[in-house]
């Protein structure tokens, strides 16, 4: 079998940062400097070409325009490459992975995001293993010559996760990401063990269709005991807000306050899409389990089931960005469209 052709896309992040001698803070460096830290790239099983953002960024600066730039790079090179590895800061990697899973409709090739907690230039870097293994995963083919992982994933510290099921959970551990509500797609040790039963299968009938539009007029609004009526109402009545990711307690519960239910139901009548997701790290929203959840269902709030906050916000940005009417956006928010919910 011929060597897989992999396009390495450098967007920035700690992996490629160097310390500013004056301030001590980490700053982005250019891609050439980064590649010179990893001569082992020449030894992987892939033929690698690289491309870099003109100005690499800390991932706190990621936004829909940068997502769209990544989608452009992938779609412009889609036919020519067997897979893509995106080097990205860890802070918002799960948002980008989720966004790409919706923006790259019909994807049939691996798009693996990775980065590191320690820069490549530091001797204890975790970036080398993350990058080299991400390339091996993107290059992996089955006995028919098809990609083993034709979906958007995050590879980080021995774990391959579905991108839109992942979240960053540690600012310091090398194992910084989890996939709380979906099994790992692969685990690495001395070998790379793929869990093929959980990986989306290759399907030649899928038609690749890149999307570039995202609607950012959305808010994530998290409940806490004692939340104030005037503040909640100012968000829900705001004309500019088109969608709300509503982070509730446990299995999708909220305080039984008439003003809250009225404000939610008025917001739905105003045309907003309100999605109930849980503040818990694992488990799912079930609004008909308790009265405190049922009142939300009756107000027109829809269930995001076990979706992550990163996937819910990017999915809503994606649906509203394509001008999908409220009722249809609500329907699609309650069903999986890219494997993002169970
Ligand atoms: N602040 C960095 C970023 O997200 C952190 C990292 O890459 O680990 O770009």
């Amino acid at each position: 079998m011929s060597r897989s052709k992999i396009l390495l896309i450098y967007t920035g992040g700690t992996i490629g940062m160097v310390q500013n001698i004056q301030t001590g803070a980490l700053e982005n460096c250019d891609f050439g400097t980064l590649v010179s830290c990893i001569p082992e790239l020449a030894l992987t099983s892939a033929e690698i070409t690289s491309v870099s953002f003109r100005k690499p960024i800390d991932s706190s600066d990621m936004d829909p325009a940068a997502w769209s730039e990544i989608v452009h790079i992938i779609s412009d090179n889609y036919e020519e490459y067997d897979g893509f590895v995106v080097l990205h800061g860890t802070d918002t990697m799960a948002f980008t992975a989720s966004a790409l899973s919706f923006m790259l409709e019909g994807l049939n090739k691996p798009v693996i995001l990775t980065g590191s907690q320690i820069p490549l230039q530091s001797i204890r870097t975790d970036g080398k293993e993350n990058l080299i293994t991400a390339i091996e995963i993107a290059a992996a083919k089955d006995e028919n010559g098809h990609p083993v992982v034709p979906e958007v994933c995050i590879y980080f510290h021995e774990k391959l996760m579905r991108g839109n099921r992942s979240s960053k959970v540690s600012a310091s551990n090398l194992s910084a990401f989890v996939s709380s509500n979906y099994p790992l797609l692969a685990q690495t040790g001395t070998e790379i063990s793929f869990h093929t039963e959980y990986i989306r299968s290759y399907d030649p009938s899928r038609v690749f269709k890149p999307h570039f539009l995202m609607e950012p007029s959305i808010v994530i609004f998290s409940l806490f005991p004692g939340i104030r009526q005037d503040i909640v109402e100012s968000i829900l009545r705001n004309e500019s807000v088109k969608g709300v990711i509503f982070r509730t307690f446990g299995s999708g519960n909220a305080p039984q306050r008439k003003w809250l239910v009225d404000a939610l139901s008025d917001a739905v009548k105003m045309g907003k899409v309100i999605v109930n997701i849980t503040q818990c790290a694992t488990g799912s929203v079930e609004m008909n389990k308790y009265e405190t959840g049922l009142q939300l269902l009756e107000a027109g709030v829809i269930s995001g089931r076990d979706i992550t906050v990163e996937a819910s916000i990017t999915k809503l940005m994606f649906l509203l960005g394509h001008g999908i009417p409220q009722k249809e956006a609500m329907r699609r928010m309650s069903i999986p469209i890219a494997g993002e919910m169970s």
Side-chain angles (χ1 to χ4, degrees), residues 4 44 52 66 86 90 120 165 197 224 231 235 238 270 332:
S4 293
T44 66
S52 170
V86 181
T90 57
L120 267 173
R165 293 297 195 126
E197 65 276 35
F224 56 89
I231 296 175
I235 298 169
N238 186 320
M270 282 170 79
R332 292 201 210 171

Side-chain angles (χ1 to χ4, degrees), residues 21-322:
I21 300 166
Q22 262 106 51
T23 65
L26 288 172
E27 292 176 352
N28 281 294
C29 75
D30 66 83
F31 191 65
T33 314
L34 180 132
V35 167
S36 65
C37 298
I38 18 175
E40 293 91 337
L41 280 182
L43 304 175
T44 66
S45 56
E47 194 184 313
I48 303 162
T49 307
S50 46
V51 51
S52 170
F53 269 17
R54 203 174 42 80
K55 193 175 171 305
I57 55 173
D58 185 296
S59 76
S60 299
D61 286 322
M62 268 290 155
D63 60 11
W67 293 335
S68 171
E69 189 175 342
I70 300 172
V71 173
H72 269 294
I73 296 173
I74 292 174
S75 56
D76 289 351
N77 292 282
Y78 192 73
E79 293 310 326
E80 215 188 310
Y81 290 89
D82 299 301
F84 303 85
V85 172
V86 181
L87 282 177
H88 195 289
T90 57
D91 290 348
T92 62
M93 192 187 290
F95 288 91
T96 299
S98 298
L100 293 180
S101 75
F102 304 118
M103 295 168 90
L104 299 170
E105 188 185 333
L107 183 74
N108 239 345
K109 297 188 178 188
V111 173
I112 315 293
L113 284 87
T114 196
S116 69
Q117 293 279 61
I118 307 174
L120 267 173
Q121 292 206 331
S122 302
I123 51 169
R124 287 191 57 247
T125 186
D126 52 331
K128 214 176 246 194
E129 194 283 321
N130 284 348
L131 172 54
I132 290 169
T133 307
I135 289 171
E136 294 290 340
I137 289 170
K141 288 186 181 165
D142 65 17
E143 58 285 359
N144 301 312
H146 299 143
V148 177
V149 193
E151 57 173 299
V152 179
C153 302
I154 288 181
Y155 175 72
F156 214 89
H157 194 73
E158 302 181 354
K159 292 188 282 199
L160 182 70
M161 291 154 277
R162 175 166 292 167
N164 56 29
R165 293 297 195 126
S166 316
S167 298
K168 182 175 177 181
V169 290
S170 176
S172 52
N173 289 351
L174 298 187
S175 180
F177 288 86
V178 294
S179 169
S180 298
N181 284 328
Y182 195 73
L184 296 180
L185 304 188
Q187 250 167 317
T188 65
T190 52
E191 305 282 330
I192 302 177
S193 312
F194 290 103
H195 304 157
T196 43
E197 65 276 35
Y198 300 120
I199 300 174
R200 185 168 85 152
S201 324
Y202 172 82
D203 176 0
S205 70
R206 266 203 300 263
V207 180
F208 178 61
K209 188 168 175 224
H211 297 273
F212 303 96
L213 303 175
M214 299 294 260
E215 169 57 71
S217 308
I218 291 171
V219 69
I220 301 175
F221 149 43
S222 209
L223 276 181
F224 56 89
I227 195 164
R228 271 175 49 173
Q229 175 175 0
D230 56 337
I231 296 175
V232 171
E233 287 177 350
S234 72
I235 298 169
L236 292 176
R237 302 226 161 111
N238 186 320
E239 298 274 348
S240 320
V241 173
K242 297 195 172 139
V244 180
I245 301 299
F246 186 32
R247 297 185 71 227
T248 58
F249 306 129
S251 55
N253 307 315
Q256 297 180 80
R257 302 280 184 278
K258 185 170 179 313
W259 61 261
L260 176 62
V261 177
D262 287 348
L264 288 165
S265 125
D266 288 350
V268 174
K269 286 185 197 123
M270 282 170 79
K272 301 183 200 305
V273 178
I274 306 186
V275 185
N276 186 351
I277 68 167
T278 175
Q279 293 176 14
C280 298
T282 61
S284 184
V285 163
E286 287 175 64
M287 283 192 278
N288 42 19
K289 195 165 168 188
Y290 297 96
E291 245 183 298
T292 45
L294 197 57
Q295 54 170 358
L296 304 181
L297 193 62
E298 286 164 359
V301 173
I302 47 167
S303 171
R305 290 150 66 169
D306 62 351
I307 198 168
T308 61
V309 66
E310 296 89 342
S312 61
I313 193 93
T314 52
K315 182 176 177 182
L316 196 49
M317 287 169 100
F318 170 77
L319 294 176
L320 298 181
H322 288 80

